[in-house]
Amino acid sequence: MRVFGVDIGGTGIKGAPVDTEDGTLVAPRFRIPTPQPAEPEAVAQTVAQVAEHFGWTGPVGATFPAVIRAGVAHTAANVDESWVGSDVSAVLGGALGPALGGTEVAVVNDADAAGIAEMAFGAGRDTAGLVVMTTFGTGIGTALFLHGQLIPNTELGHLEIHGHDAETKTSDAAREREDLSWEKWAKRVNRYLGALEALLWPDLIIVGGGASKKADRFFDHLELRTKVVPAQLQNEAGIVGAAMFAAGEQIRPRPAPRPARRRGPATRPPGGRRP
Ligand code: BGC
């Protein structure tokens, strides 16, 4: 199935038609800088321009950097306050109009979208158990998967560490703002991921977002008991995940591993029957 995926970020709005069977972009992505202030109407018009660039008609999936429930934004940590409480799906739908071909815009949290794409086609492919996707960009986004199934809207980027909202000290934007060396920043990332692992005991942590392109600069400094891998889809994860979400394809749930056989005394008395 072909779906138009659009990734709404703080600095850019990027989109492309996606083949949801294999997660590939059907045409090179197109990007327009996010209008400032990034208020609903202006953002929606920009999304429509990105779709127009491809002459798109059909279903559209969009990411948004906030808690999204049934198309409505509930937070605005790194976006204009005016989005809180707004129906993102309806606002985008109004601007896209006939381009939607009668469908509705499916809206998903940006980290959840990136996770959906990584679980299907990237670093989390074929991984059962608990997977935590993290995105280090303007903020810190997280997505949680249990046996391939998304647990939506986790906001673990706002975990309080040493009295600070983690993303204010450990996002990629914080690295740039404070001009931190990769090593110094890696120490903060390590502390943050260490806090996550102590609370969740995941089987795999995927590190995505802008910084994942530079994994070679900081991965060697990470010391965690959990396996940590860089994201593989990088720039395209949001677009692909948004399209997959809209296609309702998410990811096929993986069978939970069977519990280990119990050893020790049999529950049934030898030769006896269960009562
Ligand atoms: C927001 C999340 C978002 C993350 C990454 C955080 O500030 O609260 O909803 O996923 O930034 O953009």
Side-chain angles (χ1 to χ4, degrees):
M1 176 177 190
R2 290 195 174 179
V3 177
F4 193 76
V6 56
D7 192 6
I8 302 177
T11 53
I13 297 178
K14 301 143 263 174
V18 175
D19 182 336
T20 57
E21 298 296 315
D22 60 8
T24 55
L25 304 193
V26 179
R29 71 189 191 126
F30 180 64
R31 177 186 190 273
I32 299 181
T34 307
Q36 300 300 338
E39 285 166 358
E41 204 42 49
V43 168
Q45 290 304 332
T46 308
V47 168
Q49 283 170 28
V50 174
E52 257 165 43
H53 171 84
F54 298 90
W56 181 258
T57 322
V60 174
T63 73
F64 200 77
V67 169
I68 300 291
R69 298 177 83 190
V72 175
H74 289 269
T75 58
N78 287 306
V79 286
D80 199 85
E81 281 283 324
S82 54
W83 283 98
V84 177
S86 71
D87 187 333
V88 185
S89 173
V91 174
L92 299 183
L96 283 156
L100 287 169
T103 63
E104 285 185 358
V105 184
V107 185
V108 59
N109 169 268
D110 56 352
D112 285 351
I116 289 170
E118 289 292 335
M119 293 300 286
F121 306 115
R125 219 172 29 226
D126 304 324
T127 309
L130 186 68
V131 180
V132 183
M133 167 87 197
T134 54
T135 63
F136 292 85
T138 311
I140 299 178
T142 59
L144 218 59
F145 294 84
L146 182 62
H147 305 313
Q149 194 67 38
L150 173 69
I151 297 160
N153 289 313
T154 52
E155 287 284 320
L156 300 169
H158 299 294
L159 214 64
E160 191 178 306
I161 296 189
H162 292 325
H164 298 280
D165 180 334
E167 75 170 19
T168 62
K169 295 279 173 192
T170 312
S171 61
D172 198 37
R175 179 184 63 77
E176 286 175 355
R177 198 171 48 238
E178 295 185 38
D179 199 16
L180 298 174
S181 67
W182 284 101
E183 192 174 348
K184 269 205 157 154
W185 183 69
K187 281 197 178 132
R188 294 190 186 182
V189 173
N190 201 65
R191 194 180 310 139
Y192 171 68
L193 296 180
L196 281 189
E197 92 179 341
L199 294 172
L200 297 170
W201 286 79
D203 297 290
L204 177 70
I205 296 175
I206 304 173
V207 173
S212 63
K213 283 177 247 166
K214 302 272 174 66
D216 54 321
R217 311 290 288 274
F218 68 96
F219 255 66
D220 281 352
H221 301 293
L222 302 181
E223 285 174 17
L224 295 151
R225 51 169 93 82
T226 312
K227 183 176 172 196
V228 192
V229 294
Q232 290 174 1
L233 280 87
Q234 299 182 348
N235 286 339
E236 293 171 4
I239 295 174
V240 173
M244 303 262 308
F245 180 78
E249 295 205 4
Q250 292 207 21
I251 325 118
R252 279 164 227 102
R254 288 156 199 161
R258 286 166 173 241
R261 276 234 181 120
R262 285 182 63 188
R263 286 168 197 263
T267 45
R268 194 181 297 191
R273 291 175 156 233
R274 228 185 258 275

